[in-house]
Amino acid sequence: MIKLYKTTLLGCASVVLLTLSAYQIKQAETPNDPVYDNLDKSVDPRTDFFKYANGGWLKRNPIPAAYSSWGIGNVVQEEIRNRLKKINEDALTANAPKGSITQKIGDFYYSGLDTVNIEKQGINPLKSQLDLIDQATDINGILNAAAVLTTTGTRNFIGSRVGQDAKNSSKMMLQLGQSGLGLPNRDYYFKTDARTTRVRTDYKTNHLPTMLKISGWDEQQAAKGAESIFKIEQFLADSSRKLENLRDPYRNYHKMTIAQLNTLTPNINWASVFKTLELKPVDSVIVGQPEYYRAVNTALKTFPLDDWKAYLRWKLISSYAAYLNAAAEQESFRFSGKVISGRKEQLPRWKRVLDTENGLMGEALGQLFVKEYFPATAKLRYTEMVEAIRQAYREHIAKLDWMSPETKQKALIKLNAIHPKVGYPDKWKDFSTMVMDRESYAGNVMRARHWAYTVNINKLGKPVDHTEWGMTPQTYNASYSPSNNEITLPAAQFTIPGVKDSEVDDAVAYGYVAASTIGHEITHGFDDEGRLFDAKGNLKTWWTATDSVKFNQRAKVLADQFSSYIVLDSLHVNGKATLGENIADLGGIVLGIDAFKKTQQYKQGKLINGLSPMQRFFLGYALGWLGQERDEALANQILTDVHAPGFLRVNGPFSDVPEFYQAFKVKKGDKMWIDPAKRVKIW
């Protein structure tokens, strides 16, 4: 549930004064109320609920220059950064034993802040890999270099990883997926609107040649190399699937023997590639997009050797630019930060280093983080909330009028089998083999990436480790895994900035956490993609054909609803690509409502700051999407992300929920109104 934000309105209308008694009651304000304090009372909630709920905060908090968006997730992240900074600063001076977590944290932080040494080293940390690329004399040399780069985290045309077999979730398999593009996704190579064209032109004529010059090439080499790189990437993009087409697990599942893979790509010696990838012997592989690898096979014979050397050089320098000298780092930020995301300036260096460290060894930091900042009472509260949502879902399934008893029974089995991971792991990752020192920032990053790569490939052929977390406790996000049939709810996700968990009333907590996070993630198990996996996490048909048709009919209405929303200029939401998230949002809201109705706060009906419990529930949900986004970042999101903008993740599903109409007296003619016959009800 990646949080992204925008304040663009669904439409403007004159503000209508509400006649709700809750808005007319005069009473003493309860201080430090996380939803009341954010209101913009000049906005009618029936016109634009997102702006009504969050507009006061948005007016007071413009996007800082170093950010492409700014909202509650950023504020939580700032709190977390400050806490992690203290952990790192303590580690710097701890004189900890070599090999300890504290030593590794301290040395990594030191190397990232040591700009004198970073500048002195220039691009030398990449020398051995650059030499390997330059020394390639044929296509096998290019394949060998690409495989070596893959082992240290440089994405290129080989998109390999080890993951669960979608049709046999107990087995870890080698997987190959489309990869290799330098622009955010395939659409950037072909769309002709002015905004995308500007990005593509800058990439071809400015960013690529500049980065190649930084890598050591002269101007003529860089100009020619940039042309070659773009031709290769555009060729690969033409055989890359669109965002919405990557969401169908059946269409993206092609299990092959190595002999079949060799037939698909006769120009690639996979036995040699797999050996360089440090893989154990494999007899089969799952290929997500065979047409992409067919295109790679053709490209290897079509484009000259020098073109491929330029391509791999570019992949390497771009992958490590943020950890090299100022010239590389600043040009990388100019394009990815400014051109793509609209940011005006970089974050302070200490924040950039912390973010890098968090991405590479976040669970090491997490061990220290939860000791100080996540009390047992909070873990208990949200563990119990998971079960409240699960019970609400059971009741919803039982009452469905469109699902057969046969499918209902299997849906309940899957629901009951969902495993929740709350707060932090019971078993932490072992970082004992990760080596950190104070000699080279890029060198530390390279070793950490290789460590993570090795951890991944060593899963091949081994039992699935269900204790492993894919997120760190200090991550402001959450997830559902179809293959594991589990939800992951990190400690940071429950945080409301500046408010202790014990001070958050149930109405707000059930909207902010139970609906937008717990209910959302559980519903992912039953969205258009998640529903295709059974209780054991296997891609398997368990619905009756009739029930599948009925589900798809309802889902299409939601997809069409979101496709009708214009977000920026002529950009519409991609209703098909965002369908899973939109189903999860709507499901989370209706489950959260029913779970909340069982609480004492709802039953008592007392007002807080003039707001009823149900009104506070909806405001609590909207709080989870509080924020705004620059136009450049929003345009990028529409093209590359399966999540709709934050303001539509509030206004869109609320327009389908009867309790919202009741709580805020929404009537026909209001902007938030959808005719009852056109409202979506799935779960």
Side-chain angles (χ1 to χ4, degrees):
M1 61 175 290
I2 300 171
K3 304 226 170 190
L4 293 157
Y5 316 98
K6 182 66 183 178
T7 55
T8 307
L9 303 185
L10 285 173
C12 292
S14 58
V15 175
V16 180
L17 293 176
L18 295 178
T19 58
L20 289 170
S21 60
Y23 287 84
Q24 296 174 329
I25 292 176
K26 303 293 183 183
Q27 63 179 58
E29 293 183 4
T30 301
N32 202 26
D33 183 341
V35 294
Y36 181 76
D37 295 344
N38 293 335
L39 294 179
D40 183 347
K41 297 177 185 177
S42 70
V43 177
D44 185 342
R46 300 171 299 190
T47 297
D48 183 342
F49 189 82
F50 174 87
K51 193 172 182 184
Y52 162 76
N54 296 323
W57 188 94
L58 296 173
K59 288 178 180 177
R60 298 189 298 270
N61 294 275
I63 303 172
Y67 293 82
S68 58
S69 63
W70 189 252
I72 189 168
N74 301 100
V75 178
V76 172
Q77 188 59 44
E78 289 302 299
E79 287 189 0
I80 291 170
R81 278 200 188 108
N82 286 328
R83 292 169 177 177
L84 296 180
K85 183 182 182 185
K86 182 180 184 304
I87 290 171
N88 273 266
E89 288 177 342
D90 289 346
L92 274 177
T93 58
N95 197 25
K98 188 174 182 179
S100 66
I101 291 294
T102 300
Q103 174 263 313
K104 292 172 184 180
I105 288 171
D107 282 5
F108 185 91
Y109 194 55
Y110 180 94
S111 72
L113 297 180
D114 187 3
T115 54
V116 172
N117 190 44
I118 292 169
E119 204 63 31
K120 180 181 177 181
Q121 291 181 351
I123 64 166
N124 283 336
L126 308 182
K127 186 178 185 307
S128 64
Q129 291 173 311
L130 287 170
D131 288 346
L132 180 67
I133 296 167
D134 290 340
Q135 290 162 8
T137 57
D138 56 18
I139 289 303
N140 287 331
I142 293 297
L143 287 165
N144 179 68
V148 170
L149 296 186
T150 299
T151 67
T152 51
T154 293
R155 292 180 69 251
N156 56 78
F157 59 84
I158 300 174
S160 63
R161 69 179 182 89
V162 172
Q164 285 166 274
D165 184 338
K167 293 187 178 181
N168 182 4
S169 63
S170 64
K171 190 171 184 181
M172 300 298 287
M173 291 278 297
L174 178 63
Q175 321 237 356
L176 294 174
Q178 66 186 45
S179 182
L181 306 184
L183 287 169
N185 76 358
R186 70 169 312 281
D187 288 346
Y188 276 85
Y189 293 87
F190 305 113
K191 285 180 69 69
T192 57
D193 63 281
R195 190 183 303 278
T196 309
T197 300
R198 281 197 300 271
V199 173
R200 184 168 58 244
T201 300
D202 187 294
Y203 182 69
K204 289 168 60 177
T205 63
N206 192 357
H207 185 53
L208 286 176
T210 301
M211 290 297 283
L212 289 174
K213 282 187 284 186
I214 290 169
S215 79
W217 279 6
D218 62 33
E219 193 153 343
Q220 185 176 357
Q221 282 178 301
K224 185 176 183 300
E227 291 180 10
S228 300
I229 293 163
F230 190 82
K231 286 177 183 176
I232 289 175
E233 290 184 353
Q234 191 171 50
F235 185 87
L236 298 179
D238 193 45
S239 293
S240 298
R241 294 188 184 179
K242 292 187 175 182
L243 185 63
E244 59 268 30
N245 294 331
L246 292 170
R247 298 197 65 255
D248 185 333
Y250 282 102
R251 288 183 61 195
N252 291 277
Y253 182 96
H254 305 273
K255 191 180 243 182
M256 300 180 182
T257 64
I258 300 305
Q260 289 171 322
L261 179 62
N262 287 331
T263 299
L264 177 72
T265 56
N267 295 327
I268 301 176
N269 183 343
W270 284 107
S272 176
V273 170
F274 290 158
K275 184 177 180 180
T276 308
L277 287 171
E278 304 172 16
L279 294 167
K280 301 171 186 174
V282 293
D283 56 11
S284 58
V285 62
I286 296 171
V287 180
Q289 302 77 35
E291 68 277 20
Y292 168 80
Y293 281 93
R294 238 179 253 118
V296 169
N297 180 75
T298 301
L300 287 169
K301 285 295 187 183
T302 302
F303 295 96
L305 189 65
D306 284 345
D307 288 5
W308 284 109
K309 289 183 178 182
Y311 171 86
L312 290 180
R313 174 175 282 261
W314 150 242
K315 289 299 175 187
L316 177 61
I317 192 73
S318 64
S319 180
Y320 280 90
Y323 322 114
L324 298 172
N325 57 8
E329 184 188 33
Q330 288 168 9
E331 173 55 25
S332 177
F333 172 76
R334 186 200 66 78
F335 184 74
S336 61
K338 292 184 177 180
V339 176
I340 296 291
S341 301
R343 291 160 59 192
K344 309 301 181 185
E345 63 185 39
Q346 290 212 70
L347 291 170
R349 186 164 192 90
W350 71 267
K351 291 185 180 182
R352 306 201 302 273
V353 174
L354 273 185
D355 289 351
T356 300
E357 181 185 59
N358 220 356
L360 295 170
M361 47 194 298
E363 210 167 285
L365 287 168
Q367 295 178 46
L368 305 177
F369 174 82
V370 297
K371 285 180 182 178
E372 295 190 47
Y373 302 114
F374 190 63
T377 52
K379 182 164 184 171
L380 177 62
R381 180 183 195 181
Y382 296 114
T383 300
E384 291 176 344
M385 201 175 279
V386 169
E387 296 313 313
I389 291 293
R390 199 194 306 258
Q391 180 56 31
Y393 215 147
R394 293 186 186 108
E395 295 165 4
H396 274 243
I397 290 171
K399 294 175 184 176
L400 289 177
D401 58 4
W402 58 268
M403 182 179 279
S404 69
E406 178 185 349
T407 305
K408 282 184 180 181
Q409 183 182 16
K410 292 176 181 177
L412 287 169
I413 291 171
K414 178 171 183 177
L415 174 65
N416 291 335
I418 290 176
H419 173 62
K421 294 177 174 178
V422 181
Y424 51 85
D426 295 319
K427 174 187 172 185
W428 297 98
K429 283 187 174 72
D430 179 5
F431 288 87
S432 60
T433 59
M434 180 187 282
V435 176
M436 290 287 149
D437 60 32
R438 301 192 174 195
E439 300 303 314
S440 170
Y441 185 38
N444 279 337
V445 172
M446 194 172 293
R447 284 192 295 273
R449 287 180 172 183
H450 184 256
W451 176 88
Y453 175 82
T454 302
V455 168
N456 177 252
I457 64 170
N458 283 344
K459 296 175 183 177
L460 190 62
K462 293 181 181 177
V464 176
D465 182 2
H466 291 286
T467 68
E468 184 180 22
W469 276 49
M471 293 183 173
T472 67
Q474 63 271 26
T475 299
Y476 188 72
N477 208 336
S479 68
Y480 170 77
S481 166
S483 293
N484 286 327
N485 195 27
E486 69 183 18
I487 58 173
T488 301
L489 311 168
Q493 181 60 30
F494 308 128
T495 304
I496 296 178
V499 184
K500 293 180 181 178
D501 186 77
S502 58
E503 297 172 351
V504 180
D505 59 298
D506 276 345
V508 172
Y510 271 77
Y512 183 70
V513 176
S516 77
T517 300
I518 299 171
H520 173 99
E521 299 306 340
I522 289 179
T523 304
H524 268 314
F526 303 90
D527 68 18
D528 62 313
E529 184 176 359
R531 76 177 190 87
L532 303 176
F533 293 79
D534 68 10
K536 293 183 179 179
N538 294 317
L539 186 58
K540 181 180 177 182
T541 300
W542 56 273
W543 292 57
T544 67
T546 300
D547 288 339
S548 286
V549 169
K550 290 179 179 178
F551 176 92
N552 288 330
Q553 288 171 341
R554 291 167 181 262
K556 184 180 183 303
V557 179
L558 189 61
D560 291 344
Q561 176 185 331
F562 273 81
S563 290
S564 71
Y565 295 135
I566 297 176
V567 178
L568 183 69
D569 302 333
S570 60
L571 286 176
H572 284 248
V573 172
N574 187 333
K576 291 181 179 179
T578 59
L579 181 58
E581 296 299 329
N582 298 333
I583 290 172
D585 284 341
L586 180 56
I589 292 164
V590 297
L591 294 173
I593 287 171
D594 280 6
F596 174 56
K597 285 179 179 178
K598 296 178 182 179
T599 66
Q600 283 299 111
Q601 183 179 3
Y602 176 80
K603 292 173 182 177
Q604 291 172 357
K606 293 180 181 178
L607 304 180
I608 299 177
N609 285 331
L611 299 166
S612 72
M614 190 54 74
Q615 289 166 349
R616 292 181 66 77
F617 170 89
F618 286 109
L619 290 168
Y621 179 90
L623 176 65
W625 302 109
L626 177 149
Q628 50 195 326
E629 191 175 5
R630 298 192 192 279
D631 287 351
E632 295 89 343
L634 181 61
N636 178 56
Q637 181 193 348
I638 294 299
L639 294 181
T640 66
D641 201 337
V642 295
H643 301 78
F647 78 101
L648 284 175
R649 298 186 70 176
V650 175
N651 291 349
F654 280 8
S655 294
D656 292 308
V657 177
E659 286 85 352
F660 174 72
Y661 287 77
Q662 297 160 11
F664 292 94
K665 305 298 182 187
V666 182
K667 64 184 185 303
K668 190 168 186 176
D670 293 331
K671 290 289 184 180
M672 294 289 295
W673 172 275
I674 293 178
D675 288 337
K678 295 181 180 179
R679 293 175 198 165
V680 182
K681 181 181 178 183
I682 300 177
W683 293 107

Short mmCIF file of all heavy atoms in Angstrom, two decimals, residues 117-139:
data_model
loop_
_atom_site.label_atom_id
_atom_site.label_comp_id
_atom_site.label_asym_id
_atom_site.label_seq_id
_atom_site.Cartn_x
_atom_site.Cartn_y
_atom_site.Cartn_z
N ASN A 117 36.98 11.46 1.06
CA ASN A 117 37.43 10.18 0.51
C ASN A 117 36.63 9.77 -0.72
O ASN A 117 37.18 9.26 -1.70
CB ASN A 117 37.34 9.09 1.58
CG ASN A 117 38.01 7.80 1.16
OD1 ASN A 117 39.11 7.81 0.62
ND2 ASN A 117 37.36 6.68 1.40
N ILE A 118 35.32 10.02 -0.67
CA ILE A 118 34.45 9.69 -1.81
C ILE A 118 34.89 10.45 -3.05
O ILE A 118 34.99 9.90 -4.15
CB ILE A 118 32.97 9.98 -1.48
CG1 ILE A 118 32.47 9.00 -0.40
CG2 ILE A 118 32.10 9.90 -2.73
CD1 ILE A 118 31.13 9.36 0.18
N GLU A 119 35.18 11.74 -2.87
CA GLU A 119 35.61 12.57 -3.99
C GLU A 119 36.98 12.13 -4.51
O GLU A 119 37.21 12.09 -5.72
CB GLU A 119 35.66 14.04 -3.55
CG GLU A 119 35.52 15.04 -4.68
CD GLU A 119 34.18 14.95 -5.39
OE1 GLU A 119 33.17 14.60 -4.75
OE2 GLU A 119 34.15 15.21 -6.62
N LYS A 120 37.84 11.79 -3.61
CA LYS A 120 39.19 11.34 -3.99
C LYS A 120 39.13 10.05 -4.81
O LYS A 120 39.87 9.88 -5.79
CB LYS A 120 40.01 11.11 -2.71
CG LYS A 120 41.44 10.64 -2.96
CD LYS A 120 42.16 10.42 -1.64
CE LYS A 120 43.56 9.86 -1.84
NZ LYS A 120 44.25 9.62 -0.55
N GLN A 121 38.23 9.16 -4.46
CA GLN A 121 38.13 7.88 -5.16
C GLN A 121 37.47 8.00 -6.53
O GLN A 121 37.72 7.18 -7.41
CB GLN A 121 37.35 6.87 -4.30
CG GLN A 121 38.11 6.43 -3.05
CD GLN A 121 37.31 5.43 -2.23
OE1 GLN A 121 36.14 5.18 -2.49
NE2 GLN A 121 37.95 4.86 -1.22
N GLY A 122 36.62 9.02 -6.71
CA GLY A 122 35.97 9.20 -8.00
C GLY A 122 35.16 7.98 -8.40
O GLY A 122 34.34 7.48 -7.63
N ILE A 123 35.43 7.45 -9.62
CA ILE A 123 34.73 6.24 -10.07
C ILE A 123 35.59 4.99 -9.91
O ILE A 123 35.23 3.91 -10.41
CB ILE A 123 34.24 6.38 -11.53
CG1 ILE A 123 35.44 6.50 -12.49
CG2 ILE A 123 33.29 7.54 -11.69
CD1 ILE A 123 35.05 6.28 -13.94
N ASN A 124 36.70 5.11 -9.21
CA ASN A 124 37.61 3.97 -9.01
C ASN A 124 36.94 2.74 -8.38
O ASN A 124 37.33 1.61 -8.70
CB ASN A 124 38.82 4.37 -8.19
CG ASN A 124 39.83 5.16 -9.02
OD1 ASN A 124 39.86 5.03 -10.25
ND2 ASN A 124 40.63 5.98 -8.36
N PRO A 125 35.94 2.91 -7.49
CA PRO A 125 35.29 1.70 -6.94
C PRO A 125 34.65 0.81 -8.01
O PRO A 125 34.41 -0.37 -7.76
CB PRO A 125 34.23 2.28 -6.00
CG PRO A 125 34.80 3.59 -5.56
CD PRO A 125 35.49 4.13 -6.78
N LEU A 126 34.41 1.35 -9.20
CA LEU A 126 33.79 0.58 -10.28
C LEU A 126 34.80 0.05 -11.29
O LEU A 126 34.42 -0.56 -12.29
CB LEU A 126 32.76 1.44 -11.02
CG LEU A 126 31.69 2.15 -10.18
CD1 LEU A 126 30.73 2.89 -11.09
CD2 LEU A 126 30.95 1.17 -9.29
N LYS A 127 36.09 0.29 -11.04
CA LYS A 127 37.11 0.01 -12.06
C LYS A 127 37.11 -1.44 -12.54
O LYS A 127 37.15 -1.71 -13.74
CB LYS A 127 38.51 0.37 -11.53
CG LYS A 127 39.60 0.25 -12.60
CD LYS A 127 40.97 0.66 -12.07
CE LYS A 127 42.01 0.66 -13.18
NZ LYS A 127 42.08 -0.61 -13.94
N SER A 128 37.05 -2.39 -11.63
CA SER A 128 37.13 -3.79 -12.05
C SER A 128 35.94 -4.18 -12.92
O SER A 128 36.08 -4.94 -13.89
CB SER A 128 37.21 -4.72 -10.83
OG SER A 128 36.05 -4.64 -10.05
N GLN A 129 34.79 -3.64 -12.62
CA GLN A 129 33.61 -3.96 -13.42
C GLN A 129 33.63 -3.24 -14.77
O GLN A 129 33.23 -3.82 -15.80
CB GLN A 129 32.33 -3.63 -12.63
CG GLN A 129 32.15 -4.56 -11.44
CD GLN A 129 30.98 -4.14 -10.55
OE1 GLN A 129 30.88 -2.97 -10.19
NE2 GLN A 129 30.12 -5.09 -10.21
N LEU A 130 34.11 -2.01 -14.78
CA LEU A 130 34.27 -1.30 -16.05
C LEU A 130 35.27 -2.02 -16.94
O LEU A 130 35.06 -2.15 -18.16
CB LEU A 130 34.71 0.14 -15.80
CG LEU A 130 33.65 1.10 -15.24
CD1 LEU A 130 34.29 2.41 -14.81
CD2 LEU A 130 32.54 1.36 -16.26
N ASP A 131 36.36 -2.49 -16.34
CA ASP A 131 37.35 -3.24 -17.12
C ASP A 131 36.75 -4.51 -17.69
O ASP A 131 37.04 -4.89 -18.84
CB ASP A 131 38.55 -3.59 -16.24
CG ASP A 131 39.42 -2.39 -15.90
OD1 ASP A 131 39.26 -1.34 -16.55
OD2 ASP A 131 40.25 -2.49 -14.96
N LEU A 132 35.94 -5.19 -16.92
CA LEU A 132 35.30 -6.42 -17.39
C LEU A 132 34.44 -6.14 -18.62
O LEU A 132 34.45 -6.91 -19.59
CB LEU A 132 34.45 -7.02 -16.26
CG LEU A 132 33.72 -8.32 -16.59
CD1 LEU A 132 34.72 -9.45 -16.81
CD2 LEU A 132 32.75 -8.69 -15.46
N ILE A 133 33.70 -5.04 -18.58
CA ILE A 133 32.87 -4.66 -19.73
C ILE A 133 33.75 -4.36 -20.94
O ILE A 133 33.51 -4.84 -22.05
CB ILE A 133 31.99 -3.44 -19.38
CG1 ILE A 133 30.99 -3.79 -18.26
CG2 ILE A 133 31.26 -2.93 -20.62
CD1 ILE A 133 30.31 -2.59 -17.65
N ASP A 134 34.79 -3.55 -20.73
CA ASP A 134 35.66 -3.14 -21.84
C ASP A 134 36.38 -4.33 -22.47
O ASP A 134 36.70 -4.31 -23.67
CB ASP A 134 36.69 -2.12 -21.34
CG ASP A 134 36.06 -0.78 -21.00
OD1 ASP A 134 34.95 -0.50 -21.49
OD2 ASP A 134 36.70 -0.01 -20.25
N GLN A 135 36.64 -5.35 -21.68
CA GLN A 135 37.41 -6.50 -22.18
C GLN A 135 36.57 -7.52 -22.93
O GLN A 135 37.12 -8.47 -23.49
CB GLN A 135 38.11 -7.18 -20.99
CG GLN A 135 39.25 -6.35 -20.41
CD GLN A 135 39.66 -6.79 -19.02
OE1 GLN A 135 39.20 -7.82 -18.52
NE2 GLN A 135 40.51 -5.99 -18.36
N ALA A 136 35.26 -7.35 -22.97
CA ALA A 136 34.39 -8.29 -23.70
C ALA A 136 34.73 -8.26 -25.19
O ALA A 136 34.86 -7.19 -25.79
CB ALA A 136 32.93 -7.92 -23.48
N THR A 137 34.90 -9.43 -25.76
CA THR A 137 35.26 -9.52 -27.18
C THR A 137 34.16 -10.11 -28.04
O THR A 137 34.27 -10.15 -29.27
CB THR A 137 36.53 -10.39 -27.36
OG1 THR A 137 36.28 -11.69 -26.79
CG2 THR A 137 37.71 -9.75 -26.66
N ASP A 138 33.10 -10.59 -27.40
CA ASP A 138 31.98 -11.16 -28.15
C ASP A 138 30.72 -11.12 -27.27
O ASP A 138 30.76 -10.63 -26.14
CB ASP A 138 32.30 -12.59 -28.61
CG ASP A 138 32.68 -13.51 -27.44
OD1 ASP A 138 32.38 -13.17 -26.27
OD2 ASP A 138 33.28 -14.56 -27.71
N ILE A 139 29.64 -11.68 -27.78
CA ILE A 139 28.37 -11.66 -27.05
C ILE A 139 28.48 -12.44 -25.74
O ILE A 139 27.89 -12.05 -24.72
CB ILE A 139 27.23 -12.22 -27.93
CG1 ILE A 139 26.90 -11.22 -29.04
CG2 ILE A 139 25.99 -12.51 -27.10
CD1 ILE A 139 26.53 -9.83 -28.53
#
